[in-house]
Amino acid sequence: MFQFNPYSPAVDADPFPFYKRLRDDYPAFWSTEANMWVLSRHADILTALNDWETYSSASGNLMDEFPGRAGATLGTTDPPRHDRLRALIQKAVTKRALDHIVEPTRAVTNAHLDAIAGEESFDFVTDVSSKITVDLMVYLFNLPKDGQDIMRDKAVLMVQSDPTTRSKGPEHMAAYKWMTEYAANLIAERKKAPGEDLMSQFITAEIDGEKLDDREVQMTVTTLIMAGIESLSGFLTMFALNLADHPEARRQLVANPELIPDAMEESLRFNTSAQRFKRCLKKDVELHGETLKAGDFVCLAYGAGNRDERRFEDPDIYNIARKPRGHLGFGGGVHACLGTAIARLATKIIFEEFLKRVPEYSRVQEQLPWMPSTTFRSPTRLDLRIG
Amino acid sequence: MSKVTYVEHDGTATEIDLQDGWTLMQGATMNGIDGIEGECGGSCSCATCHCYVEEDKLDLLPPMGEIEDEMLECVVSERRPNSRLSCQIKMSPALDGIVVELPEAQS
Ligand code: HEM
Ligand code: FES
């Protein structure tokens, strides 16, 4: 009997053979372990993303949801509330509002690359992607400078799950609690002395003449920090990994850095770091001979849709010239990633600098330690040898 | 399925078949029409899916909401009487054959 258990370490390490079975033989599959349906074909996922009235986010969008988050954040509300919340933040993160992050991003990247200069090998996760991402978020949200390492550790722990109990373990819940308290303190500070930053704008914002309620602000700030840190550093790590495994592609980027954005999109498709999110059905749906009932949860396996041969030719080949339009690496529809423009711009700058200074590198580990997570996929350590 | 034609600022016209119920923004971004960006995924909060709708189809469109009106104040290219956000226009048989022009810049 075929099983798809998103809690299993085998899926963390290599979900792709499972995805192929799902797409080919079980395009609407009930996973008993996850207690939800799984959609894996590109077309089905896109249809779901374009139909928030049927596929609702208001009961949560993380595979393992946190208490109190459903209904209270951008990622976990439906329109029209969602759109009003999003409009409050969107203008600060559109492409045309982001010029100010270019130089700070370049500067923190070089500072952390200075620290590994002269080394034979380094861990891309600890030494590069985490450090740069945390610095960038501290800058973006104007966060306090102390306690940064703890914040990163908590953000990473928050998104994990325990493979044996198939739920969040005590350490994951504790990390979540830590982050909500961190957010609460931050909000209290900003209320006293609002600044120009994104957080302050959001905290003081009103919808239809009403202030956002405290829980909404706290949960949204918690999510922004988690999403910003973990999604971006996880993706940067996957990108570095792809370029270690495909030296030809890397050399092309070194010779012609203008190709970095195309390669980034291909990595989002090929090794999707945000693998799976969920929705809850508002009405019955007939799909591939199954009846998905109102109230059932549905997993949208973006990582599977991105390898769908019905949509992408030779999907298992990493091809930086592909320009994979319509990939699901940032999700899609009204919940498409808010940080898309930030992530694209930051990745471009970080890899311009990184490849300038470390043009030749290779993997040290044969087996990578994969993060135990039902939602995200990236290694917890990536040792790279320089030269 | 109904037809929509996008005319880019340089005059390039592309006709596509779009599933009813999908928005003109989705039709453009899924088919490689670069003149529409759609950064916010259609949640009416980025104003990067601005388009000019042919005059005689204007009355057939769903009326403009208050938020769309506000967002249209933030478009980069000139706002005209026939300006709309393409993520707020869902395809329907009544709109079959609609032509939209795309502005010079979205962001
Ligand atoms: C390469 C890095 C990133 C990837 C791969 C990524 C991926 C995603 C995906 C797949 C979703 C959709 C979730 C769903 O379908 O329910 C999403 C939503 C979101 N992301 Fe990102 N993300 C990245 C970076 C960021 C950054 C840097 C931020 C914040 C500064 C951010 C903030 C958000 C928020 C707030 C949402 C919810 C949006 C909504 O529901 O309207 N992300 N992200
Ligand atoms: S896609 Fe953002 S306003 Fe239309």
Side-chain angles (χ1 to χ4, degrees), chain A residues 50 83-84 90 96 325 333, chain B residues 22 26 34 41 45 67 74 76:
Chain A
N50 283 329
D83 293 4
R84 302 306 306 257
Q90 184 78 43
R96 62 181 181 240
R325 207 169 266 288
Chain B
W22 290 45
Q26 289 164 339
D34 289 329
S45 55
I67 303 174
C74 316
V76 171

Side-chain angles (χ1 to χ4, degrees), chain A residues 51-334:
Chain A
D51 182 7
W52 56 262
E53 282 156 309
T54 307
Y55 294 85
S56 161
S57 294
S59 307
N61 72 332
L62 297 173
M63 297 285 286
D64 287 293
E65 195 49 88
F66 294 108
R69 200 173 159 273
T73 75
L74 215 48
T76 56
T77 40
D78 292 331
R81 183 83 187 162
H82 164 269
D83 293 4
R84 302 306 306 257
L85 283 173
R86 182 139 179 167
L88 293 175
I89 313 183
Q90 184 78 43
K91 52 180 180 307
V93 297
T94 41
K95 241 180 1 193
R96 62 181 181 240
L98 287 175
D99 281 351
H100 70 102
I101 78 165
V102 172
E103 286 319 313
T105 306
R106 210 179 289 284
V108 298
T109 304
N110 276 305
H112 294 302
L113 292 176
D114 285 346
I116 58 162
E119 301 289 332
E120 271 173 31
S121 68
F122 63 98
D123 169 16
F124 190 86
V125 178
T126 321
D127 299 333
V128 182
S129 62
S130 313
K131 291 232 162 72
I132 297 175
T133 316
V134 171
D135 283 359
L136 181 59
M137 292 304 138
V138 165
Y139 169 76
L140 202 63
F141 301 139
N142 192 18
L143 303 176
K145 295 250 179 326
D146 37 305
Q148 291 186 14
D149 290 342
I150 308 180
M151 187 174 69
R152 144 82 195 174
D153 290 349
K154 301 294 178 190
V156 173
L157 263 180
M158 268 177 81
V159 304
Q160 303 188 4
S161 297
D162 188 317
T164 44
T165 62
R166 296 199 208 118
S167 59
K168 299 271 178 206
E171 70 278 30
H172 311 127
M173 293 310 293
Y176 172 66
K177 189 155 172 288
W178 187 93
M179 196 64 84
T180 54
E181 283 162 12
Y182 181 89
N185 286 333
L186 197 67
I187 293 163
E189 291 292 315
R190 291 300 146 85
K191 274 192 177 157
K192 274 189 258 160
E196 293 292 296
D197 58 286
L198 186 59
M199 294 278 174
S200 301
Q201 282 174 26
F202 190 64
I203 290 163
T204 52
E206 297 183 351
I207 292 183
D208 301 329
E210 267 178 60
K211 285 248 182 310
L212 305 182
D213 78 52
D214 286 349
R215 189 175 66 110
E216 206 164 42
V217 175
Q218 187 187 12
M219 288 299 140
T220 301
V221 169
T222 304
T223 306
L224 274 173
I225 298 174
M226 173 195 82
I229 294 183
E230 168 44 38
S231 316
L232 184 56
S233 69
F235 171 72
L236 292 170
T237 304
M238 293 304 275
F239 194 24
L241 172 66
N242 289 159
L243 297 180
D245 289 340
H246 300 91
E248 284 317 309
R250 188 185 64 241
R251 284 173 200 136
Q252 280 183 47
L253 301 192
V254 170
N256 188 359
E258 278 173 16
L259 298 177
I260 291 173
D262 284 349
M264 170 186 179
E265 298 305 312
E266 176 65 347
S267 278
L268 280 164
R269 181 198 72 82
F270 182 73
N271 260 341
T272 317
S273 49
Q275 285 277 330
R276 294 171 286 267
F277 283 84
K278 77 175 177 199
R279 299 292 185 262
C280 186
L281 285 175
K282 294 295 232 191
K283 53 175 184 265
D284 292 1
V285 171
E286 298 285 334
L287 195 62
H288 303 299
E290 304 280 352
T291 305
L292 289 57
K293 290 261 180 241
D296 287 352
F297 280 102
V298 182
C299 160
L300 306 180
Y302 299 147
N306 279 338
R307 295 277 190 119
D308 188 350
E309 39 288 278
R310 295 158 195 80
R311 166 78 200 210
F312 299 106
E313 206 174 302
D314 297 327
D316 296 329
I317 291 175
Y318 183 73
N319 170 10
I320 61 168
R322 179 191 301 272
K323 302 192 187 194
R325 207 169 266 288
H327 72 69
L328 303 168
F330 287 119
V334 295

